[in-house]
Short mmCIF file of all heavy atoms in Angstrom, two decimals:
data_model
loop_
_atom_site.label_atom_id
_atom_site.label_comp_id
_atom_site.label_asym_id
_atom_site.label_seq_id
_atom_site.Cartn_x
_atom_site.Cartn_y
_atom_site.Cartn_z
N TYR A 30 34.65 24.82 -71.22
CA TYR A 30 34.60 23.81 -72.27
C TYR A 30 34.26 22.46 -71.66
O TYR A 30 34.97 21.49 -71.85
CB TYR A 30 35.92 23.76 -73.02
CG TYR A 30 36.24 25.02 -73.79
CD1 TYR A 30 37.11 25.97 -73.29
CD2 TYR A 30 35.64 25.24 -75.03
CE1 TYR A 30 37.40 27.12 -74.01
CE2 TYR A 30 35.92 26.40 -75.77
CZ TYR A 30 36.80 27.34 -75.24
OH TYR A 30 37.07 28.47 -75.96
N GLY A 31 33.15 22.42 -70.91
CA GLY A 31 32.76 21.20 -70.24
C GLY A 31 32.92 21.33 -68.74
O GLY A 31 33.34 22.37 -68.22
N PRO A 32 32.62 20.25 -68.00
CA PRO A 32 32.72 20.27 -66.54
C PRO A 32 34.18 20.35 -66.09
O PRO A 32 35.09 20.00 -66.83
CB PRO A 32 32.07 18.96 -66.11
CG PRO A 32 32.28 18.06 -67.29
CD PRO A 32 32.17 18.94 -68.50
N ASP A 33 34.35 20.78 -64.86
CA ASP A 33 35.68 20.86 -64.26
C ASP A 33 36.20 19.44 -64.01
O ASP A 33 35.61 18.70 -63.22
CB ASP A 33 35.60 21.63 -62.95
CG ASP A 33 36.94 21.76 -62.24
OD1 ASP A 33 37.96 21.23 -62.76
OD2 ASP A 33 36.98 22.37 -61.16
N PRO A 34 37.29 19.02 -64.64
CA PRO A 34 37.79 17.66 -64.43
C PRO A 34 38.30 17.40 -63.03
O PRO A 34 38.51 16.25 -62.65
CB PRO A 34 38.92 17.53 -65.47
CG PRO A 34 39.37 18.93 -65.71
CD PRO A 34 38.14 19.78 -65.59
N ASN A 35 38.46 18.47 -62.24
CA ASN A 35 38.95 18.32 -60.87
C ASN A 35 37.82 18.36 -59.84
O ASN A 35 38.08 18.33 -58.64
CB ASN A 35 39.97 19.41 -60.56
CG ASN A 35 41.21 19.29 -61.43
OD1 ASN A 35 41.79 18.21 -61.54
ND2 ASN A 35 41.60 20.38 -62.06
N ALA A 36 36.58 18.41 -60.31
CA ALA A 36 35.43 18.40 -59.40
C ALA A 36 35.09 16.96 -59.02
O ALA A 36 35.27 16.03 -59.81
CB ALA A 36 34.23 19.06 -60.07
N VAL A 37 34.59 16.77 -57.80
CA VAL A 37 34.12 15.44 -57.41
C VAL A 37 32.85 15.10 -58.18
O VAL A 37 32.73 14.00 -58.74
CB VAL A 37 33.87 15.38 -55.89
CG1 VAL A 37 33.19 14.06 -55.51
CG2 VAL A 37 35.18 15.53 -55.13
N TYR A 38 31.91 16.05 -58.21
CA TYR A 38 30.66 15.84 -58.93
C TYR A 38 30.66 16.73 -60.17
O TYR A 38 30.63 17.95 -60.06
CB TYR A 38 29.45 16.19 -58.06
CG TYR A 38 29.45 15.51 -56.72
CD1 TYR A 38 29.75 16.21 -55.56
CD2 TYR A 38 29.15 14.14 -56.61
CE1 TYR A 38 29.76 15.58 -54.33
CE2 TYR A 38 29.17 13.51 -55.39
CZ TYR A 38 29.47 14.24 -54.25
OH TYR A 38 29.49 13.61 -53.03
N PRO A 39 30.70 16.16 -61.37
CA PRO A 39 30.68 16.99 -62.57
C PRO A 39 29.42 17.84 -62.68
O PRO A 39 29.47 18.94 -63.20
CB PRO A 39 30.77 15.98 -63.71
CG PRO A 39 30.37 14.67 -63.12
CD PRO A 39 30.77 14.72 -61.68
N ASN A 40 28.32 17.31 -62.18
CA ASN A 40 27.06 18.03 -62.17
C ASN A 40 26.52 18.02 -60.75
O ASN A 40 26.14 16.96 -60.22
CB ASN A 40 26.06 17.36 -63.13
CG ASN A 40 24.77 18.14 -63.27
OD1 ASN A 40 24.40 18.92 -62.40
ND2 ASN A 40 24.07 17.92 -64.37
N ASP A 41 26.49 19.17 -60.10
CA ASP A 41 26.08 19.25 -58.69
C ASP A 41 24.65 18.76 -58.46
O ASP A 41 24.28 18.42 -57.34
CB ASP A 41 26.20 20.69 -58.17
CG ASP A 41 27.65 21.04 -57.84
OD1 ASP A 41 28.42 20.12 -57.49
OD2 ASP A 41 28.01 22.23 -57.94
N ALA A 42 23.86 18.70 -59.53
CA ALA A 42 22.48 18.24 -59.39
C ALA A 42 22.38 16.72 -59.43
O ALA A 42 21.31 16.16 -59.17
CB ALA A 42 21.62 18.85 -60.50
N ILE A 43 23.49 16.04 -59.74
CA ILE A 43 23.47 14.57 -59.84
C ILE A 43 24.57 14.03 -58.95
O ILE A 43 25.71 13.80 -59.39
CB ILE A 43 23.66 14.09 -61.30
CG1 ILE A 43 22.65 14.77 -62.23
CG2 ILE A 43 23.52 12.57 -61.38
CD1 ILE A 43 22.84 14.43 -63.70
N LYS A 44 24.25 13.81 -57.67
CA LYS A 44 25.26 13.38 -56.70
C LYS A 44 25.56 11.88 -56.77
O LYS A 44 26.40 11.39 -56.02
CB LYS A 44 24.79 13.72 -55.28
CG LYS A 44 24.63 15.21 -55.02
CD LYS A 44 25.96 15.96 -55.07
CE LYS A 44 25.78 17.40 -54.60
NZ LYS A 44 27.04 18.16 -54.64
N SER A 45 24.87 11.17 -57.66
CA SER A 45 25.17 9.74 -57.81
C SER A 45 26.35 9.50 -58.75
O SER A 45 26.82 8.37 -58.88
CB SER A 45 23.95 9.00 -58.36
OG SER A 45 23.61 9.46 -59.65
N VAL A 46 26.83 10.56 -59.39
CA VAL A 46 27.92 10.44 -60.36
C VAL A 46 29.11 11.26 -59.88
O VAL A 46 28.96 12.46 -59.57
CB VAL A 46 27.48 10.94 -61.76
CG1 VAL A 46 28.66 11.00 -62.71
CG2 VAL A 46 26.38 10.05 -62.32
N CYS A 47 30.27 10.62 -59.82
CA CYS A 47 31.47 11.36 -59.44
C CYS A 47 32.63 11.01 -60.37
O CYS A 47 32.67 9.92 -60.95
CB CYS A 47 31.87 11.11 -57.99
SG CYS A 47 32.73 9.56 -57.69
N PHE A 48 33.53 11.96 -60.54
CA PHE A 48 34.77 11.71 -61.26
C PHE A 48 35.71 10.94 -60.33
O PHE A 48 36.14 11.45 -59.29
CB PHE A 48 35.42 13.02 -61.70
CG PHE A 48 34.77 13.66 -62.90
CD1 PHE A 48 34.87 15.03 -63.10
CD2 PHE A 48 34.09 12.90 -63.84
CE1 PHE A 48 34.30 15.63 -64.22
CE2 PHE A 48 33.51 13.49 -64.96
CZ PHE A 48 33.60 14.87 -65.15
N ILE A 49 36.04 9.72 -60.70
CA ILE A 49 36.78 8.82 -59.80
C ILE A 49 38.14 9.38 -59.41
O ILE A 49 38.56 9.26 -58.26
CB ILE A 49 36.96 7.44 -60.48
CG1 ILE A 49 35.60 6.79 -60.74
CG2 ILE A 49 37.81 6.52 -59.60
CD1 ILE A 49 35.69 5.52 -61.58
N LYS A 50 38.81 10.01 -60.35
CA LYS A 50 40.16 10.51 -60.09
C LYS A 50 40.22 11.38 -58.84
O LYS A 50 41.24 11.40 -58.13
CB LYS A 50 40.63 11.33 -61.30
CG LYS A 50 42.00 11.99 -61.16
CD LYS A 50 42.38 12.76 -62.40
CE LYS A 50 41.60 14.06 -62.54
NZ LYS A 50 41.97 15.09 -61.54
N ASN A 51 39.11 12.06 -58.56
CA ASN A 51 39.11 13.05 -57.49
C ASN A 51 38.68 12.49 -56.13
O ASN A 51 38.59 13.25 -55.17
CB ASN A 51 38.22 14.23 -57.89
CG ASN A 51 38.67 14.82 -59.21
OD1 ASN A 51 39.86 14.97 -59.46
ND2 ASN A 51 37.72 15.13 -60.09
N VAL A 52 38.42 11.18 -56.06
CA VAL A 52 38.04 10.59 -54.77
C VAL A 52 38.97 9.44 -54.35
O VAL A 52 38.85 8.94 -53.23
CB VAL A 52 36.57 10.10 -54.77
CG1 VAL A 52 35.63 11.27 -55.00
CG2 VAL A 52 36.34 9.01 -55.81
N ILE A 53 39.85 8.99 -55.22
CA ILE A 53 40.73 7.89 -54.85
C ILE A 53 41.87 8.38 -53.97
O ILE A 53 42.32 9.52 -54.09
CB ILE A 53 41.28 7.13 -56.08
CG1 ILE A 53 42.04 8.08 -57.01
CG2 ILE A 53 40.17 6.41 -56.82
CD1 ILE A 53 42.72 7.38 -58.15
N THR A 54 42.33 7.49 -53.09
CA THR A 54 43.43 7.83 -52.18
C THR A 54 44.62 6.89 -52.34
O THR A 54 45.72 7.23 -51.92
CB THR A 54 42.96 7.75 -50.71
OG1 THR A 54 42.53 6.40 -50.41
CG2 THR A 54 41.79 8.71 -50.46
N ARG A 55 44.41 5.73 -52.93
CA ARG A 55 45.50 4.75 -53.06
C ARG A 55 46.38 5.08 -54.26
O ARG A 55 45.88 5.24 -55.38
CB ARG A 55 44.95 3.34 -53.25
CG ARG A 55 44.05 2.83 -52.15
CD ARG A 55 43.65 1.39 -52.47
NE ARG A 55 42.34 1.08 -51.95
CZ ARG A 55 41.63 0.02 -52.31
NH1 ARG A 55 42.13 -0.84 -53.19
NH2 ARG A 55 40.44 -0.21 -51.79
N PRO A 56 47.69 5.15 -54.06
CA PRO A 56 48.58 5.42 -55.20
C PRO A 56 48.62 4.28 -56.21
O PRO A 56 49.08 4.47 -57.34
CB PRO A 56 49.95 5.62 -54.54
CG PRO A 56 49.85 4.96 -53.21
CD PRO A 56 48.42 5.09 -52.78
N SER A 57 48.11 3.11 -55.83
CA SER A 57 48.10 1.95 -56.73
C SER A 57 46.85 1.91 -57.61
O SER A 57 46.65 0.95 -58.36
CB SER A 57 48.21 0.66 -55.93
OG SER A 57 47.24 0.62 -54.90
N ILE A 58 46.00 2.94 -57.52
CA ILE A 58 44.85 3.09 -58.42
C ILE A 58 45.05 4.36 -59.22
O ILE A 58 45.13 5.45 -58.65
CB ILE A 58 43.52 3.14 -57.66
CG1 ILE A 58 43.31 1.87 -56.82
CG2 ILE A 58 42.35 3.31 -58.64
CD1 ILE A 58 42.05 1.90 -55.98
N LEU A 59 45.16 4.24 -60.53
CA LEU A 59 45.41 5.37 -61.41
C LEU A 59 44.23 5.52 -62.37
O LEU A 59 43.88 4.58 -63.09
CB LEU A 59 46.70 5.16 -62.20
CG LEU A 59 47.94 4.81 -61.38
CD1 LEU A 59 49.10 4.45 -62.29
CD2 LEU A 59 48.31 5.97 -60.46
N VAL A 60 43.61 6.70 -62.37
CA VAL A 60 42.40 6.91 -63.17
C VAL A 60 42.54 8.22 -63.95
O VAL A 60 42.98 9.24 -63.41
CB VAL A 60 41.14 6.97 -62.29
CG1 VAL A 60 39.89 7.14 -63.14
CG2 VAL A 60 41.02 5.71 -61.44
N GLY A 61 42.15 8.19 -65.22
CA GLY A 61 42.22 9.37 -66.06
C GLY A 61 41.07 10.34 -65.84
O GLY A 61 40.06 10.02 -65.21
N GLU A 62 41.23 11.53 -66.40
CA GLU A 62 40.22 12.58 -66.25
C GLU A 62 38.90 12.19 -66.92
O GLU A 62 38.88 11.48 -67.93
CB GLU A 62 40.74 13.88 -66.86
CG GLU A 62 41.87 14.51 -66.06
CD GLU A 62 42.28 15.85 -66.60
OE1 GLU A 62 42.05 16.11 -67.80
OE2 GLU A 62 42.83 16.65 -65.83
N TYR A 63 37.82 12.66 -66.32
CA TYR A 63 36.45 12.53 -66.80
C TYR A 63 35.87 11.12 -66.67
O TYR A 63 34.70 10.90 -67.01
CB TYR A 63 36.32 12.99 -68.27
CG TYR A 63 36.76 14.42 -68.49
CD1 TYR A 63 37.98 14.71 -69.09
CD2 TYR A 63 35.96 15.50 -68.08
CE1 TYR A 63 38.40 16.01 -69.29
CE2 TYR A 63 36.38 16.81 -68.27
CZ TYR A 63 37.60 17.06 -68.88
OH TYR A 63 38.01 18.35 -69.06
N THR A 64 36.63 10.17 -66.19
CA THR A 64 36.08 8.83 -65.95
C THR A 64 35.20 8.89 -64.70
O THR A 64 35.63 9.40 -63.66
CB THR A 64 37.21 7.81 -65.77
OG1 THR A 64 37.76 7.53 -67.06
CG2 THR A 64 36.72 6.52 -65.15
N TYR A 65 33.98 8.36 -64.82
CA TYR A 65 33.06 8.48 -63.69
C TYR A 65 32.55 7.12 -63.22
O TYR A 65 32.55 6.13 -63.96
CB TYR A 65 31.89 9.38 -64.04
CG TYR A 65 30.87 8.82 -65.00
CD1 TYR A 65 29.86 7.96 -64.58
CD2 TYR A 65 30.89 9.19 -66.35
CE1 TYR A 65 28.91 7.46 -65.46
CE2 TYR A 65 29.93 8.70 -67.24
CZ TYR A 65 28.95 7.83 -66.79
OH TYR A 65 28.01 7.33 -67.65
#
């Protein structure tokens, strides 16, 4: 039902777009699913 919200790249063919939630490391940055 859409891309995997836990993937870094929602579309492997478009590496310029990433889901932010899956690349942040700081606990002081909180990002919801599907935000890119």
Side-chain angles (χ1 to χ4, degrees):
Y30 294 100
D33 180 359
N35 296 310
V37 172
Y38 308 106
N40 185 337
D41 281 332
I43 307 176
K44 296 294 189 181
S45 63
V46 172
C47 79
F48 283 155
I49 298 172
K50 177 180 74 70
N51 305 318
V52 298
I53 58 174
T54 62
R55 301 183 211 165
S57 52
I58 301 176
L59 307 173
V60 182
E62 290 185 335
Y63 302 104
T64 285
Y65 72 81

